[in-house]
Amino acid sequence: MASDEESRSSANRRRRGSRGGRTTRRPGDGEPGDAAENDGPVRPERARAPKAAILGPDAPDLPDPPSEGRAAPEAGARALVRRPDLGASRPKIGDTRPAPPPTAGDDGSAAATPTRSPGRRGPGGQPPKARTAAAERMADDSDGEVDGDDDSPARKRRRRGGRGRGTTVGGKALGGTPEPEAPVELDEETLERRRGRERKGKPVGRYQMCVHVRPEATQIAVLEGRSLIEHYVSRPSDDASQIHGNIYIGRVQNVLPGMEAAFVDIGTPKNAVLYRGDVQYDSEDVDEKGPGGKGGGGGGGGKDNDVRIEQLLRPGQTVLCQVTKNPIGTKGARLTQEVSLAGRFVVLIPNSTTYGISKRLSDEERKRLRRILDEVRPPGQGLIVRTAAEGATPEELRRDVERLLKQWGQIEALAARSNAPTLLYREPPLAVRVIREEFNKDYRGVLIDDVELHREVHEYVAALIPELADRIELYDDPALPIFERQHVHEQLHKALDRKVWLPSGGSLIIERTEALTVIDVNTGKNVGTKNLEETVFRNNLEAAEEIARQLRLRDIGGIIVIDFIDMEIRKNREQVLKLFKDCLARDKTRTQVFDISELGLVEMTRKRVSEGLVESFSAICPNCNGRGIILDESLL
């Protein structure tokens, strides 16, 4: 009886194993007769290789996908912290975004939105909710307006690896410190209007910048009054890690259909990553025989969204690309094929119809700039006008555009005679880059303690912003370092601690994890005077203001969860959240803040720009490998 049951069970097992073709011969499998020699079901020898075997043990991790850590569009729009009107904060590179791709109307026709030239597709045929890469880098506050241009002729896009394929290296990378130019001649009235306020012959401003140069690193501190609000560090070794904005000719190493991404060798220690949504292509370049394709990007009736990355890229192909995100930790840099070059007043987007003027400017100023742009805008090129262009003369805008066009022509010429991987364009040094994007009449001065850097920066500012050139000062006091004189050093030490004290005795505990950053608010030594609700409310107000400052100073990005102390009164919760958003509005980095949850938690996101302040001053502990604990091996 038992023998019959065992035989039936064995037969059932063999039948189940045979369904689905387990014993069917496939290429690479053993002979069919080998199955009879095994007691159990036959498994094919060619097992699916793990990801590590495909990418190799030294392959970097993929950066977060474009949708990682993002809320739903409707919730994200409500949570977005808008920056204040012009004059209340410093300008940043790009305050506009291109119009969304055309969407189908109710009658099935395309909606009346700006499009690329006929026959050309958007960045990888992204769905309407996606933004172009240039807008992703330069338009983080959604306070912009873009006017499309549909009348420009069709232009060649870079196809299948672009130019320079198979050629030899023809020269070193462009960029670095800009060459000094003759300043634009301005009348006295314009100079006086731009010069900013003075008191007793000295410049007056809300901010001050201090640049401390040492052989091992250059540090830049931005002060609001006497309070440190931003800090940057640049080292000679950062050429391989701080590469945001650099332009390369790269070579595709791997194409990963399951991740809709490709690893690209750009000559850095870690391969960079190019997502499908950041790929530029022509419809005739799509490989219609690729898996999953139905005619490619616009040909044969297929939809753009059906075009897969393996139809656009293949291993060994060369591509011209720009870094949009630095490599962080084990993750490689993120790339785009939509290149943009930033100037003082405009941003040039080659081979594009993107056309925008900052909405933070007044209506009259936007109309004036639009008239000028119609005259200076080169055919076949996209332009985004920055908020720094307020009051700019036609000659200044024309020279800015011409300089960027010349720069792009040099990049194309170098690409035509270079092999992959090659660096084509390098962003300017940190001090010049920060001044280009930050410096305006709200700064009372820039102090630099290095003679050579002071000369370079002074020439650069004198050519672009001559009315503010006298605010670039050389600090040459040998008795006291610049950071000691300006009380930066002590504030920097406090910013590296996990615990932050509040004025009334409360405290913040800031903990950073792999997935998110957690901030805990405590009353600490704050015992109050009236009642518990009032004490907690005042403590949370102080915490909201200090948290906004710490996020900027420590450059904390990604998902952030804040545990405010519970408040019973709804009005108090709303006031704390309003103050928090008002303080964040002066932050040039894009932030989204959601309502206080039932547990008293505030969820928010802040665009990740760098590894952060603490990481720039520290290294992982070799004993605990960053865990902060040491296991007792004797008990294991």
Side-chain angles (χ1 to χ4, degrees):
M1 195 66 180
S3 177
D4 294 341
E5 290 180 358
E6 290 177 2
S7 62
R8 282 197 299 269
S9 176
S10 176
N12 288 339
R13 282 200 303 272
R14 284 195 295 271
R15 283 197 297 272
R16 284 198 298 269
S18 62
R19 292 174 191 156
R22 283 196 180 185
T23 55
T24 305
R25 184 177 180 181
R26 298 189 183 96
D29 290 350
E31 292 297 326
D34 295 342
E37 301 177 5
N38 299 326
D39 295 332
V42 174
R43 299 183 180 181
E45 295 177 5
R46 188 183 61 179
R48 188 173 182 177
K51 181 181 288 189
I54 298 175
L55 301 181
D58 298 328
D61 294 340
L62 285 166
D64 294 335
S67 60
E68 180 74 15
R70 289 188 182 176
E74 298 80 6
R78 291 194 303 269
L80 182 64
V81 176
R82 307 278 181 182
R83 296 179 64 200
D85 294 335
L86 187 62
S89 64
R90 301 189 302 280
K92 63 169 282 195
I93 173 173
D95 293 293
T96 63
R97 64 181 59 186
T103 56
D106 295 335
D107 57 352
S109 60
T113 54
T115 61
R116 295 183 178 270
S117 53
R120 307 302 180 198
R121 294 291 163 182
Q126 278 288 77
K129 66 178 181 180
R131 296 182 290 173
T132 62
E136 184 70 32
R137 292 191 302 278
M138 295 176 291
D140 292 331
D141 54 6
S142 74
D143 291 338
E145 174 185 290
V146 172
D147 298 326
D149 182 4
D150 295 333
D151 300 328
S152 56
R155 293 172 297 282
K156 272 197 172 182
R157 283 249 171 234
R158 195 160 313 284
R159 300 184 185 179
R160 296 209 172 276
R163 305 175 184 177
R165 203 170 174 186
T167 56
T168 58
V169 177
K172 69 175 186 177
L174 305 169
T177 304
E179 297 180 0
E181 301 177 356
V184 178
E185 295 293 335
L186 299 174
D187 57 78
E188 285 298 324
E189 181 182 353
T190 303
L191 284 174
E192 187 64 28
R193 186 177 68 252
R194 296 184 182 180
R195 195 165 280 128
R197 298 182 297 117
E198 293 185 353
R199 184 182 300 127
K200 297 181 180 180
K202 294 184 178 181
V204 177
R206 184 175 186 175
Y207 305 102
Q208 185 176 30
M209 190 180 299
C210 302
V211 183
H212 181 34
V213 180
R214 291 192 294 180
E216 61 271 18
T218 297
Q219 300 184 55
I220 299 179
V222 178
L223 301 172
E224 184 176 5
R226 294 186 178 181
S227 177
L228 180 65
I229 59 172
E230 290 181 4
H231 184 273
Y232 307 90
V233 181
S234 175
R235 296 183 177 87
S237 60
D238 288 345
D239 287 346
S241 58
Q242 302 300 316
I243 57 176
H244 183 278
N246 290 1
I247 301 175
Y248 296 84
I249 279 189
R251 187 179 301 279
V252 178
Q253 296 294 312
N254 305 86
V255 179
L256 310 176
M259 296 300 296
E260 295 188 4
F263 279 112
V264 180
D265 179 14
I266 58 174
T268 54
K270 298 177 183 177
N271 286 339
V273 177
L274 177 63
Y275 281 103
R276 176 199 172 280
D278 296 320
V279 177
Q280 300 285 328
Y281 68 94
D282 281 338
S283 57
E284 58 265 28
D285 285 338
V286 177
D287 182 7
E288 298 186 11
K289 297 180 182 179
K294 296 183 180 180
K303 297 182 180 179
D304 290 347
N305 296 340
D306 293 334
V307 181
R308 299 176 60 85
I309 190 168
E310 63 267 30
Q311 298 173 252
L312 306 174
L313 301 174
R314 62 177 182 274
Q317 177 180 339
T318 59
V319 291
L320 187 143
C321 48
Q322 185 174 32
V323 177
T324 61
K325 193 172 185 180
N326 285 322
I328 299 177
T330 60
K331 300 176 181 178
R334 183 175 170 184
L335 303 175
T336 181
Q337 284 191 289
E338 185 172 42
V339 174
S340 62
L341 296 173
R344 172 65 184 172
F345 303 113
V346 300
V347 177
L348 176 70
I349 307 175
N351 305 322
S352 172
T353 58
T354 299
Y355 177 60
I357 301 175
S358 172
K359 197 174 180 180
R360 293 179 60 228
L361 297 170
S362 65
D363 292 340
E364 289 299 321
E365 182 66 10
R366 290 210 306 274
K367 290 178 182 178
R368 184 187 74 87
L369 291 173
R370 187 174 290 111
R371 287 194 297 268
I372 298 175
L373 238 62
D374 290 339
E375 300 175 1
V376 304
R377 181 187 178 192
Q381 311 293 344
L383 286 180
I384 293 179
V385 181
R386 302 171 54 193
T387 52
E390 184 195 25
T393 65
E395 178 64 16
E396 287 177 312
L397 291 170
R398 183 187 62 79
R399 285 186 55 170
D400 207 26
V401 172
E402 288 179 352
R403 182 179 62 82
L404 294 176
L405 281 174
K406 178 182 176 182
Q407 197 174 62
W408 174 243
Q410 293 172 342
I411 292 173
E412 284 193 310
L414 180 58
R417 60 179 188 269
S418 299
N419 276 333
T422 300
L423 173 64
L424 301 177
Y425 168 80
R426 186 194 308 276
E427 277 285 278
L430 177 66
V432 175
R433 193 164 66 245
V434 171
I435 287 175
R436 178 190 70 189
E437 303 184 11
E438 303 276 346
F439 187 52
N440 64 2
K441 64 182 180 181
D442 290 333
Y443 278 78
R444 59 183 180 270
V446 177
L447 297 178
I448 304 175
D449 64 359
D450 181 76
V451 176
E452 181 63 24
L453 183 59
H454 171 266
R455 181 189 63 79
E456 293 180 4
V457 172
H458 189 275
E459 290 178 351
Y460 176 76
V461 174
L464 288 182
I465 328 171
E467 65 276 9
L468 300 180
D470 58 343
R471 301 194 181 196
I472 308 298
E473 305 175 33
L474 177 65
Y475 181 86
D476 56 358
D477 184 0
L480 200 62
I482 184 173
F483 274 15
E484 295 284 351
R485 173 72 68 184
Q486 300 297 328
H487 306 286
V488 174
H489 192 262
E490 57 192 65
Q491 296 185 65
L492 207 51
H493 271 279
K494 293 180 180 178
L496 297 173
D497 197 359
R498 65 187 289 268
K499 189 170 187 177
V500 180
W501 289 101
L502 301 176
S504 63
S507 65
L508 307 175
I509 303 295
I510 302 176
E511 293 283 0
R512 189 167 180 177
T513 68
E514 182 72 19
L516 48 81
T517 299
V518 181
I519 302 178
D520 186 30
V521 181
N522 300 313
T523 54
K525 301 177 182 179
N526 182 9
V527 295
T529 56
K530 293 184 179 180
N531 55 58
L532 178 61
E533 178 69 17
E534 182 70 13
T535 301
V536 168
F537 173 57
R538 297 298 172 188
N539 192 87
N540 282 341
L541 288 177
E542 289 183 358
E545 191 170 354
E546 184 62 27
I547 289 172
R549 173 178 170 266
Q550 291 293 328
L551 293 179
R552 290 180 66 185
L553 176 56
R554 301 179 185 228
D555 199 11
I556 298 174
I559 300 174
I560 303 164
V561 176
I562 305 169
D563 184 12
F564 284 104
I565 305 173
D566 292 340
M567 294 170 286
E568 299 293 336
I569 302 177
R570 180 185 181 88
K571 182 180 178 181
N572 290 347
R573 295 196 297 268
E574 293 175 350
Q575 289 188 30
V576 168
L577 195 62
K578 181 180 183 301
L579 175 64
F580 185 46
K581 290 183 177 180
D582 291 342
C583 295
L584 286 174
R586 292 197 296 269
D587 189 353
K588 67 181 183 295
T589 303
R590 177 187 175 92
T591 56
Q592 291 176 312
V593 180
F594 298 86
D595 294 337
I596 298 179
S597 70
E598 296 296 329
L599 294 176
L601 303 177
V602 172
E603 299 174 2
M604 65 169 292
T605 63
R606 186 175 185 270
K607 185 176 179 180
R608 191 187 300 276
V609 179
S610 67
E611 285 190 304
L613 179 69
V614 175
E615 286 72 16
S616 64
F617 279 93
S618 63
I620 295 178
C621 173
N623 295 322
C624 67
N625 200 26
R627 287 193 67 184
I629 60 173
I630 298 178
L631 298 176
D632 187 353
E633 298 290 345
S634 64
L635 300 178
L636 298 176

mmCIF file of all heavy atoms in Angstrom, residues 21-47:
data_model
loop_
_atom_site.group_PDB
_atom_site.id
_atom_site.type_symbol
_atom_site.label_atom_id
_atom_site.label_comp_id
_atom_site.label_asym_id
_atom_site.label_seq_id
_atom_site.Cartn_x
_atom_site.Cartn_y
_atom_site.Cartn_z
ATOM 1 N N GLY A 21 7.949 22.022 -19.817
ATOM 2 C CA GLY A 21 9.107 21.726 -20.647
ATOM 3 C C GLY A 21 10.405 21.641 -19.895
ATOM 4 O O GLY A 21 11.448 21.997 -20.420
ATOM 5 N N ARG A 22 10.374 21.182 -18.610
ATOM 6 C CA ARG A 22 11.634 21.107 -17.880
ATOM 7 C C ARG A 22 12.616 20.147 -18.523
ATOM 8 O O ARG A 22 13.814 20.369 -18.495
ATOM 9 C CB ARG A 22 11.381 20.681 -16.438
ATOM 10 C CG ARG A 22 10.828 21.803 -15.571
ATOM 11 C CD ARG A 22 10.965 21.444 -14.116
ATOM 12 N NE ARG A 22 10.457 22.492 -13.277
ATOM 13 C CZ ARG A 22 10.551 22.476 -11.967
ATOM 14 N NH1 ARG A 22 11.124 21.468 -11.367
ATOM 15 N NH2 ARG A 22 10.079 23.469 -11.257
ATOM 16 N N THR A 23 12.106 19.067 -19.062
ATOM 17 C CA THR A 23 13.013 18.078 -19.654
ATOM 18 C C THR A 23 13.149 18.275 -21.146
ATOM 19 O O THR A 23 13.771 17.476 -21.826
ATOM 20 C CB THR A 23 12.493 16.652 -19.388
ATOM 21 O OG1 THR A 23 11.157 16.541 -19.871
ATOM 22 C CG2 THR A 23 12.525 16.341 -17.906
ATOM 23 N N THR A 24 12.521 19.338 -21.667
ATOM 24 C CA THR A 24 12.652 19.605 -23.086
ATOM 25 C C THR A 24 14.043 20.133 -23.384
ATOM 26 O O THR A 24 14.559 20.970 -22.653
ATOM 27 C CB THR A 24 11.604 20.648 -23.533
ATOM 28 O OG1 THR A 24 10.324 20.176 -23.159
ATOM 29 C CG2 THR A 24 11.678 20.896 -25.031
ATOM 30 N N ARG A 25 14.607 19.651 -24.451
ATOM 31 C CA ARG A 25 15.974 20.057 -24.760
ATOM 32 C C ARG A 25 15.993 21.487 -25.273
ATOM 33 O O ARG A 25 15.215 21.871 -26.141
ATOM 34 C CB ARG A 25 16.541 19.116 -25.831
ATOM 35 C CG ARG A 25 18.003 19.411 -26.128
ATOM 36 C CD ARG A 25 18.546 18.428 -27.140
ATOM 37 N NE ARG A 25 19.940 18.683 -27.433
ATOM 38 C CZ ARG A 25 20.652 17.996 -28.291
ATOM 39 N NH1 ARG A 25 20.089 16.992 -28.942
ATOM 40 N NH2 ARG A 25 21.912 18.285 -28.517
ATOM 41 N N ARG A 26 16.898 22.263 -24.699
ATOM 42 C CA ARG A 26 17.091 23.636 -25.139
ATOM 43 C C ARG A 26 18.555 23.814 -25.501
ATOM 44 O O ARG A 26 19.393 23.034 -25.078
ATOM 45 C CB ARG A 26 16.736 24.625 -24.020
ATOM 46 C CG ARG A 26 15.297 24.580 -23.570
ATOM 47 C CD ARG A 26 15.046 25.747 -22.622
ATOM 48 N NE ARG A 26 13.694 25.736 -22.098
ATOM 49 C CZ ARG A 26 13.349 25.224 -20.946
ATOM 50 N NH1 ARG A 26 14.257 24.655 -20.183
ATOM 51 N NH2 ARG A 26 12.098 25.261 -20.530
ATOM 52 N N PRO A 27 18.882 24.837 -26.227
ATOM 53 C CA PRO A 27 20.303 25.076 -26.522
ATOM 54 C C PRO A 27 21.074 25.237 -25.237
ATOM 55 O O PRO A 27 20.726 26.042 -24.374
ATOM 56 C CB PRO A 27 20.272 26.388 -27.329
ATOM 57 C CG PRO A 27 18.905 26.464 -27.884
ATOM 58 C CD PRO A 27 18.010 25.783 -26.913
ATOM 59 N N GLY A 28 22.122 24.472 -25.085
ATOM 60 C CA GLY A 28 22.947 24.553 -23.886
ATOM 61 C C GLY A 28 22.558 23.549 -22.836
ATOM 62 O O GLY A 28 23.239 23.411 -21.830
ATOM 63 N N ASP A 29 21.420 22.822 -22.976
ATOM 64 C CA ASP A 29 21.017 21.826 -21.988
ATOM 65 C C ASP A 29 21.718 20.506 -22.292
ATOM 66 O O ASP A 29 22.299 20.284 -23.361
ATOM 67 C CB ASP A 29 19.502 21.633 -22.009
ATOM 68 C CG ASP A 29 18.787 22.846 -21.451
ATOM 69 O OD1 ASP A 29 19.480 23.720 -20.888
ATOM 70 O OD2 ASP A 29 17.570 22.907 -21.601
ATOM 71 N N GLY A 30 21.591 19.568 -21.339
ATOM 72 C CA GLY A 30 22.142 18.233 -21.543
ATOM 73 C C GLY A 30 21.280 17.432 -22.508
ATOM 74 O O GLY A 30 20.252 17.882 -23.004
ATOM 75 N N GLU A 31 21.709 16.195 -22.775
ATOM 76 C CA GLU A 31 20.938 15.329 -23.657
ATOM 77 C C GLU A 31 19.621 14.952 -22.980
ATOM 78 O O GLU A 31 19.541 14.856 -21.764
ATOM 79 C CB GLU A 31 21.738 14.058 -23.942
ATOM 80 C CG GLU A 31 22.989 14.308 -24.775
ATOM 81 C CD GLU A 31 22.658 14.850 -26.150
ATOM 82 O OE1 GLU A 31 21.616 14.458 -26.704
ATOM 83 O OE2 GLU A 31 23.407 15.681 -26.670
ATOM 84 N N PRO A 32 18.560 14.714 -23.752
ATOM 85 C CA PRO A 32 17.278 14.363 -23.155
ATOM 86 C C PRO A 32 17.364 13.104 -22.322
ATOM 87 O O PRO A 32 16.685 12.980 -21.312
ATOM 88 C CB PRO A 32 16.362 14.176 -24.371
ATOM 89 C CG PRO A 32 17.005 14.941 -25.480
ATOM 90 C CD PRO A 32 18.461 14.884 -25.232
ATOM 91 N N GLY A 33 18.197 12.190 -22.703
ATOM 92 C CA GLY A 33 18.271 10.947 -21.968
ATOM 93 C C GLY A 33 18.880 11.091 -20.603
ATOM 94 O O GLY A 33 18.740 10.209 -19.757
ATOM 95 N N ASP A 34 19.581 12.201 -20.335
ATOM 96 C CA ASP A 34 20.201 12.381 -19.030
ATOM 97 C C ASP A 34 19.176 12.518 -17.933
ATOM 98 O O ASP A 34 19.472 12.315 -16.772
ATOM 99 C CB ASP A 34 21.094 13.632 -19.048
ATOM 100 C CG ASP A 34 22.267 13.453 -20.000
ATOM 101 O OD1 ASP A 34 22.551 12.297 -20.348
ATOM 102 O OD2 ASP A 34 22.900 14.470 -20.374
ATOM 103 N N ALA A 35 17.945 12.889 -18.266
ATOM 104 C CA ALA A 35 16.926 13.103 -17.229
ATOM 105 C C ALA A 35 16.579 11.819 -16.518
ATOM 106 O O ALA A 35 16.222 11.825 -15.348
ATOM 107 C CB ALA A 35 15.666 13.708 -17.862
ATOM 108 N N ALA A 36 16.679 10.702 -17.211
ATOM 109 C CA ALA A 36 16.280 9.447 -16.592
ATOM 110 C C ALA A 36 17.235 9.017 -15.510
ATOM 111 O O ALA A 36 16.887 8.200 -14.665
ATOM 112 C CB ALA A 36 16.183 8.359 -17.675
ATOM 113 N N GLU A 37 18.463 9.549 -15.524
ATOM 114 C CA GLU A 37 19.431 9.145 -14.532
ATOM 115 C C GLU A 37 19.255 9.898 -13.222
ATOM 116 O O GLU A 37 19.879 9.576 -12.232
ATOM 117 C CB GLU A 37 20.846 9.382 -15.072
ATOM 118 C CG GLU A 37 21.121 8.617 -16.373
ATOM 119 C CD GLU A 37 22.497 8.938 -16.909
ATOM 120 O OE1 GLU A 37 23.243 9.666 -16.220
ATOM 121 O OE2 GLU A 37 22.834 8.475 -17.996
ATOM 122 N N ASN A 38 18.445 10.940 -13.202
ATOM 123 C CA ASN A 38 18.261 11.740 -11.988
ATOM 124 C C ASN A 38 17.002 11.303 -11.271
ATOM 125 O O ASN A 38 16.021 10.915 -11.887
ATOM 126 C CB ASN A 38 18.171 13.228 -12.332
ATOM 127 C CG ASN A 38 19.444 13.723 -13.008
ATOM 128 O OD1 ASN A 38 20.533 13.238 -12.680
ATOM 129 N ND2 ASN A 38 19.296 14.637 -13.950
ATOM 130 N N ASP A 39 17.024 11.402 -9.936
ATOM 131 C CA ASP A 39 15.847 11.038 -9.159
ATOM 132 C C ASP A 39 14.777 12.108 -9.226
ATOM 133 O O ASP A 39 13.595 11.824 -9.162
ATOM 134 C CB ASP A 39 16.243 10.794 -7.700
ATOM 135 C CG ASP A 39 17.160 9.591 -7.574
ATOM 136 O OD1 ASP A 39 17.055 8.704 -8.435
ATOM 137 O OD2 ASP A 39 17.965 9.569 -6.623
ATOM 138 N N GLY A 40 15.180 13.378 -9.289
ATOM 139 C CA GLY A 40 14.213 14.485 -9.290
ATOM 140 C C GLY A 40 14.083 15.077 -10.664
ATOM 141 O O GLY A 40 14.622 14.564 -11.646
ATOM 142 N N PRO A 41 13.347 16.162 -10.766
ATOM 143 C CA PRO A 41 13.149 16.823 -12.049
ATOM 144 C C PRO A 41 14.466 17.357 -12.582
ATOM 145 O O PRO A 41 15.335 17.792 -11.835
ATOM 146 C CB PRO A 41 12.195 17.981 -11.716
ATOM 147 C CG PRO A 41 11.629 17.661 -10.368
ATOM 148 C CD PRO A 41 12.629 16.825 -9.682
ATOM 149 N N VAL A 42 14.591 17.346 -13.872
ATOM 150 C CA VAL A 42 15.811 17.818 -14.509
ATOM 151 C C VAL A 42 15.765 19.338 -14.616
ATOM 152 O O VAL A 42 14.761 19.910 -15.037
ATOM 153 C CB VAL A 42 15.950 17.202 -15.914
ATOM 154 C CG1 VAL A 42 17.142 17.807 -16.644
ATOM 155 C CG2 VAL A 42 16.108 15.696 -15.792
ATOM 156 N N ARG A 43 16.828 19.995 -14.214
ATOM 157 C CA ARG A 43 16.911 21.441 -14.330
ATOM 158 C C ARG A 43 17.938 21.790 -15.397
ATOM 159 O O ARG A 43 18.992 21.167 -15.467
ATOM 160 C CB ARG A 43 17.327 22.075 -12.996
ATOM 161 C CG ARG A 43 16.316 21.783 -11.899
ATOM 162 C CD ARG A 43 16.689 22.469 -10.624
ATOM 163 N NE ARG A 43 15.722 22.197 -9.578
ATOM 164 C CZ ARG A 43 15.795 22.685 -8.353
ATOM 165 N NH1 ARG A 43 16.796 23.471 -8.021
ATOM 166 N NH2 ARG A 43 14.865 22.404 -7.460
ATOM 167 N N PRO A 44 17.671 22.754 -16.209
ATOM 168 C CA PRO A 44 18.624 23.102 -17.262
ATOM 169 C C PRO A 44 19.916 23.641 -16.666
ATOM 170 O O PRO A 44 19.914 24.274 -15.627
ATOM 171 C CB PRO A 44 17.886 24.191 -18.063
ATOM 172 C CG PRO A 44 16.877 24.737 -17.119
ATOM 173 C CD PRO A 44 16.490 23.603 -16.239
ATOM 174 N N GLU A 45 21.020 23.360 -17.369
ATOM 175 C CA GLU A 45 22.315 23.784 -16.869
ATOM 176 C C GLU A 45 22.474 25.288 -16.967
ATOM 177 O O GLU A 45 23.182 25.894 -16.185
ATOM 178 C CB GLU A 45 23.427 23.094 -17.668
ATOM 179 C CG GLU A 45 23.450 21.580 -17.479
ATOM 180 C CD GLU A 45 24.507 20.947 -18.342
ATOM 181 O OE1 GLU A 45 25.262 21.706 -18.998
ATOM 182 O OE2 GLU A 45 24.581 19.722 -18.366
ATOM 183 N N ARG A 46 21.829 25.915 -17.952
ATOM 184 C CA ARG A 46 22.011 27.340 -18.143
ATOM 185 C C ARG A 46 21.053 28.095 -17.238
ATOM 186 O O ARG A 46 19.938 28.391 -17.600
ATOM 187 C CB ARG A 46 21.771 27.722 -19.606
ATOM 188 C CG ARG A 46 22.130 29.167 -19.911
ATOM 189 C CD ARG A 46 21.819 29.532 -21.341
ATOM 190 N NE ARG A 46 20.397 29.395 -21.619
ATOM 191 C CZ ARG A 46 19.841 29.669 -22.785
ATOM 192 N NH1 ARG A 46 20.603 30.052 -23.777
ATOM 193 N NH2 ARG A 46 18.543 29.522 -22.968
ATOM 194 N N ALA A 47 21.487 28.344 -16.040
ATOM 195 C CA ALA A 47 20.653 29.090 -15.101
ATOM 196 C C ALA A 47 20.794 30.577 -15.388
ATOM 197 O O ALA A 47 21.754 31.040 -15.987
ATOM 198 C CB ALA A 47 21.082 28.787 -13.663
#
